[in-house]
Amino acid sequence: MASGVMIVAEHRDGKIRKISLELLGVGKKLAGNLGGGLTAVLIGKGIEGLAADLGKFGAEKVYVIDNDLFASYSPDGFAAAVAAAAKQADPALILLGSSAQGKDLAPRAAAKIGTGLSSDCVDVMVDGGKVVCKRPVYSGKCFAKTVAVSSPAMASIRPNVFPAADAVNAAGAVVKVDPGVTALLSKVSEVKAAGSGGVDLTEAERIVSGGRGIKAKENFKILEDLASVIGAAVGASRAAVDAGYIDVSNQVGQTGKVVNPTIYMAFGISGAIQHLAGMRTSKVIVAINKDPEAPIFQKADYGIVADLFAVAPLMTEEFKKLLAE
Ligand SMILES: Cc1cc2nc3c(=O)[nH]c(=O)nc-3n(C[C@H](O)[C@H](O)[C@H](O)COP(=O)(O)OP(=O)(O)OC[C@H]3O[C@@H](n4cnc5c(N)ncnc54)[C@H](O)[C@@H]3O)c2cc1C
């Protein structure tokens, strides 16, 4: 009988991604309620060494699919690999990140396994033996609860919602899996780093974001300066993107990225519903806007009614001083 939790790990540049440690954290809490242990599946080429890192953070068993074909992400190949690992592990729940890769992989893997999926969840619990997920709907204005009726249950989890798993002094057992994939239908041929100051927007702990109020492409430099001092990623509203001030990969919102940082600073952003859809779950929101009636202030924890061109450089200087102490 299916039991326990299996997480689908992600890695980049030879390192396990933060979202995978968050999945191990939430997975550990749920595994016992689902009558089993915590396992992980790791897919790639030359990645066996990373299995130990997953063990260190609580994976009791790591199903490794190490294959030349999986040197880069392949939608059909990775879906087949997850399905093969799931067949072997027989988990009651499979967790993936609601990351760029996870958003693509989760529905494909669910279809391959023949089960349902709750996507972009902000909570997962076990109630009466059933997996219940909470997910934002209507641009985050309310939450829906979904109850898994097929097995295994599957959910993708929004990054930065759960704390990362604590390190445990253990080594996970490594189990090699052969998914029987000999050719791929599609694969990623090139990955270009997004222009968000080297920090992935969806995983960023801190985001400095600019809107139409920035007024020109070169003015984003003042936000980039602030971001580099506090180790933040740079985000933007769609108006700033449409005006050509910044690349679309930086866009936050309904048609951009969904972010969930500890702190989100919005400079010259009015707070349209479509922008809020991408950042309203941020833990602390700071709005800087010269219009005291701007809707963003209704959502902000801290508001500064002022000219952003005066405030941003001041903040940069003050943070520099504070961090130097
Ligand atoms: C289907 C659909 C999807 C969309 N998806 C997205 C999305 O994903 N993300 C998104 O952001 N938008 C999205 N939008 C657009 C959204 O409706 C808004 O138009 C957009 O968010 C507005 O961006 P903004 O706040 O930067 O610009 P504005 O609404 O023009 O606000 C600019 C703000 O800057 C302030 N300001 C100006 N100068 C200064 C200054 N010197 N100092 C301080 N403050 C100043 C102004 O007071 C104003 O509040 C979408 C719209 C549609 C219809």
Side-chain angles (χ1 to χ4, degrees), residues 17-324:
R17 299 194 73 185
K18 187 165 153 260
I19 178 66
S20 306
L21 303 185
E22 293 167 12
L23 296 180
L24 286 172
V26 60
K28 185 148 192 89
K29 282 193 199 135
L30 298 170
N33 294 333
L34 292 167
L38 177 62
T39 60
V41 51
L42 183 63
I43 310 160
K45 179 188 169 192
I47 36 92
E48 232 181 277
L50 291 177
D53 293 342
L54 294 168
K56 238 184 262 167
F57 286 91
E60 292 152 40
K61 227 180 238 179
V62 184
Y63 294 88
V64 176
I65 293 132
D66 198 329
N67 188 317
D68 284 355
L69 285 174
F70 298 144
S72 64
Y73 175 64
S74 156
D76 51 297
F78 275 43
V82 172
K87 201 168 178 193
Q88 220 158 312
D90 196 17
L93 168 64
I94 301 173
L95 295 176
L96 299 96
S98 188
S99 55
Q101 182 179 302
K103 278 181 186 157
D104 187 76
L105 175 59
R108 288 174 201 276
K112 192 98 188 150
I113 293 166
T115 193
L117 169 74
S118 291
S119 54
D120 202 24
C121 301
V122 292
D123 203 3
V124 193
M125 57 220 115
V126 178
D127 190 3
K130 294 234 186 265
V131 174
V132 180
C133 295
K134 185 176 159 191
R135 53 186 303 269
V137 288
Y138 300 119
S139 299
K141 279 202 147 179
C142 44
F143 292 97
K145 269 189 180 174
T146 58
V147 180
V149 291
S150 52
S151 180
M154 258 180 107
S156 66
I157 306 290
R158 193 175 275 199
N160 278 348
V161 171
F162 293 101
D166 293 326
V168 290
N169 249 345
V174 172
V175 181
K176 289 191 182 171
V177 177
D178 178 7
V181 176
T182 51
L184 299 175
L185 296 174
S186 55
K187 68 172 183 175
V188 171
S189 55
E190 190 187 0
V191 178
K192 282 190 184 163
S196 53
V199 187
D200 189 319
L201 213 46
T202 58
E203 290 193 353
E205 283 283 342
R206 298 170 208 114
I207 295 175
V208 173
S209 217
R212 203 196 305 265
I214 283 285
K215 291 188 178 75
K217 188 175 180 170
E218 52 278 14
N219 292 343
F220 253 99
K221 171 89 171 55
I222 59 165
L223 299 191
E224 284 158 12
D225 289 347
L226 173 58
S228 80
V229 168
I230 61 169
V234 176
S237 71
R238 178 156 152 185
V241 170
D242 287 351
Y245 302 162
I246 192 162
D247 190 73
V248 66
S249 62
N250 297 74
Q251 185 181 317
V252 171
Q254 192 182 316
T255 43
K257 293 198 170 125
V258 175
V259 300
N260 194 26
T262 307
I263 184 161
Y264 187 89
M265 294 189 195
F267 288 85
I269 293 177
S270 60
I273 178 74
Q274 296 89 354
H275 188 78
L276 296 180
M279 45 62 80
R280 70 189 317 151
T281 56
S282 303
K283 281 151 203 113
V284 176
I285 297 170
V286 182
I288 298 91
N289 198 304
K290 64 179 186 185
D291 175 9
E293 303 297 326
I296 189 92
F297 287 126
Q298 287 165 26
K299 193 72 203 128
D301 300 283
Y302 298 94
I304 303 173
V305 180
D307 185 345
L308 72 90
F309 295 103
V311 174
L314 262 180
M315 277 189 172
T316 307
E317 285 318 306
E318 287 305 311
F319 276 123
K320 254 190 212 162
K321 279 188 227 158
L322 281 170
L323 292 168

